[in-house]
Each structure stands twice: as structure tokens, then as C-alpha cells.
Amino acid sequence: MYYERAIQKTIENVNETFPVLLLTGPRQVGKTTLLERMADSGRKRVSLDNPTLRALAKSDPELFLQRYTPPVLIDEVQYAPELFPYIKIIVDQRKQPGDFWLTGSQIFKMRKDAAESLAGRVGIVPMLGLSNSEINEMDFHEFTLEPENLIKRVTEAPSMNVQEVFQRIYQGSMPRLYEIDNVNRELFFESYLDTYISRDIRTLEQVADETAFITFLKVVAARTATNVNYEVLAQETGISAPTAKHWLSILVSCGVVTLIEPYFNNALKRVVKSPRLYFLDTGLCAHLLGWGSPEVLERSAMSEAFFETWVVSEVYKSYLNAGKKPPLYFYRDSNKKEIDLILYQDGIAHPVEIKKAASPQKATKNFSVLKPIEKEPAKEDAFNGTAHLKTEIGTGGVICLASDVMPIDEKNWYIPAWII
């Protein structure tokens, strides 16, 4: 079974605008499958996973592009960055949008190479695994907290109980686990890790100790939904703190992990400034930690962290699929007061708590920490030196296991996690 991808509209817009489309993201999230379904019969297709073709692309990129002329789809192009200067020459001559479709799984490296060689000519689209709405075959836009949008979603999306939510968390977001019946999940993830390490990490990043890197992956997985502490990551892996920082940057660049930055405003005091890390595929995270079933995971001490990780990754994907940078932040201060997410858009901060409960009590109590920056037009004195620090505090929410969208008070709502 094939699932329609929400990001297709974004890809179509980029394809109509730029001569080069670069679709980046982790392995196995469906990049090539999607582009192959979108391609017409006249578009050539070639993968640099093939060692013979990869050698030709690296040793004689001009000859390679004479053989594979546009329009063309080049898969795993990160293996031959030598192609980029010659692609630039071709697109400058032809000036045709959509000539080159490229895919790659090294996001940071790809952006750097593309920015240097194809500046102004390439549209870069990051892609992750299936979203919950895609699996449910719902065409939702990016997640926002407008009540009318939430109410519309809850009337359209199929409801999910806690067992169904944790089954999805445990399964993860890799399309192959949903498109083919009876896939062995354990073998799939073991093969994925072997491919990820042997092809992407060892080939492109020269990580010498693969065993230590797998250990590092497991340590990071155990710390999903926590603030980054490089010293602790290093100690638990047996490596140096600079190595831990470099290895975490690899995971970020490959789309395995994302870092959510703290919300910062000079009017807020004692704000913790280290980012918070989240795995972007909860299935891979659960596999690395050895959880044997969704039922065991749901009853475990890490169930809250996995629920939060799943919710954040779903919100994050909704913005990427819409072609937008996720406007996500979090708040934590030295008094350990936290707000799990802050959606900051158009000068408005929307606080969000994430709780694995049906109707969590007092979940919005920490929203008051934003009071010092709340704009009060009737009282604001433009000459008191603080007006520039003020912002509007918008609708807030508690994303939880509620069965319906329900008001908490005049400004905050309970939001079922399954409508994201």
C-alpha cells in the first residue's frame, strides 16, 4: 500500500520555481519512491548507490551528465558532489525549471555543497517519515492552535485510544513498515542501522569506531525529550565531549534527531540556553532501547518521554511538509519551570504542554512564566525602554489523550494528540 505524501504540494511548487530540486532526509523515508511516482516517462533515473555509476560521476562528472541528460532524477547525489559545478553549467545554459531532481541523506553536507555550487538555482526540501495524518489518509496543513482549526480536525480525523497511539509510537514512521504486510520490524531496523552506519556515517563522516557510535545512538535515544548535555553524553559513551558534540551534529544532519532551541527574550530571567533533543522516528528510538512491545513501552518509565517525542515530531513534520521552517521552541528556567513547546509565529507566542493523560490537571500553570513579556496595549509605555521586549501571548494548548477538543479556560484548550 502506498500513502499519499503531504509534502508533494511543496515539491511541486519548488519544481516549478527552480531548475534543481534537492530532496533531503534520512534513509527509508520514501524520497525516491515519491519522486518516481511524480516523474513523467521522459525523466531519466539513476542511483549513485550503484558503485560503477558512482565512480563515473566522481571521476568524470561531465561525461556522466552527457549520459544522463535532463530532465533527470539522481538518487543519493551526496556520493558525488563533483556533479554540482557541472549541473550549474547545464542549468545556466538551459534555464528550465525542474531539470534536475536530486535526493540525498546527508542534509547538512548537501546544503553546504548545494549552497556553494548552486546558489539561487536549487530549492532544498527536507523530508521525514510518514506523519500520523498521512497514515490516517488525512490532508491536514501545518499544526496551529486556532480553535476553529482544531475543531475542524477533530471532526475529520479518526480517534485513537492510548493503545493505538502507543502502537503507532512503537511502529515509528518508516513507510516500509506500513506499506508491506508482515515486515519483520526488528530485522528492518537492524538492517537500517547497518546501512546507516556502513554507507552514510563511515563513508561520509569517517567515524572510526562504529561500535562506540552505536552506543552513542542508544545513549541519545535514552535521552530523547531532554536537554542536551554533551558532558553526560560523552561520559556514558566513553568518548570526549567534542566528539559527542560532533556525533550529535551528524545525527541532526542526517535527520535522525532534531534540536529544539530555547525560547529567549531578554525580559525572561534565568532561562536555560541548552537545546532539547528529540528523535524524529520513535520506532527507531524504541528499537535502539530494546522495547519489545508497545504495551511494555506504554507502561514503562519512558512512556511520557516517548509520547512527548512523538507529538513534537508530528508537529515538526507538519511544518516541513508545508514547506515551512518549524517555528518551535521550548522554555525552561533555573527554577525548573518548563513549557514543552512554544510555537512562535508572526510575533505571537503560543504555549503548549504535552501530557500523557486524558485530562491533565493544572497543565497550564507554567504558562504564567511568559507574563513578563506579554504585550498589554492599554498599559504599554513606548518610552519605558521595555516595549521592544513585549510580545502577544496567543492561544495555548495541552496536547494529551483527550477524546475531544475542549476549552480549559478562555485562552487554552485540551487537544487530542491524534489530530496533529
Side-chain angles (χ1 to χ4, degrees), residues 206 212 252 397:
Q206 291 86 48
V252 172

Side-chain angles (χ1 to χ4, degrees), residues 145-148 150-151 154 358-364 367 395-400 402-416 419:
L145 283 106
E146 286 81 7
E148 60 273 16
L150 299 174
I151 293 169
V154 82
S359 54
Q361 302 301 307
K362 299 181 180 179
T364 63
F367 291 180
T395 302
V398 178
I399 299 176
C400 57
S403 58
D404 200 356
V405 172
M406 296 290 291
I408 301 173
D409 51 43
E410 62 181 11
K411 206 166 186 179
N412 301 296
W413 294 73
Y414 286 127
I415 303 167
I419 71 170

Side-chain angles (χ1 to χ4, degrees), residues 84 88 109-119 121-122:
F84 287 129
K88 174 182 179 293
K109 180 176 176 59
M110 297 289 292
R111 284 181 181 273
K112 180 175 181 294
D113 291 340
E116 290 176 352
S117 301
L118 298 170
R121 302 165 181 84
V122 59

Side-chain angles (χ1 to χ4, degrees), residues 80-101:
E82 294 85 356
L83 289 172
F84 287 129
Y86 294 89
I87 290 175
K88 174 182 179 293
I89 293 171
I90 294 172
V91 300
D92 284 350
Q93 291 173 343
R94 289 172 52 87
K95 295 181 171 58
Q96 293 291 322
D99 261 354
F100 287 89
W101 290 2

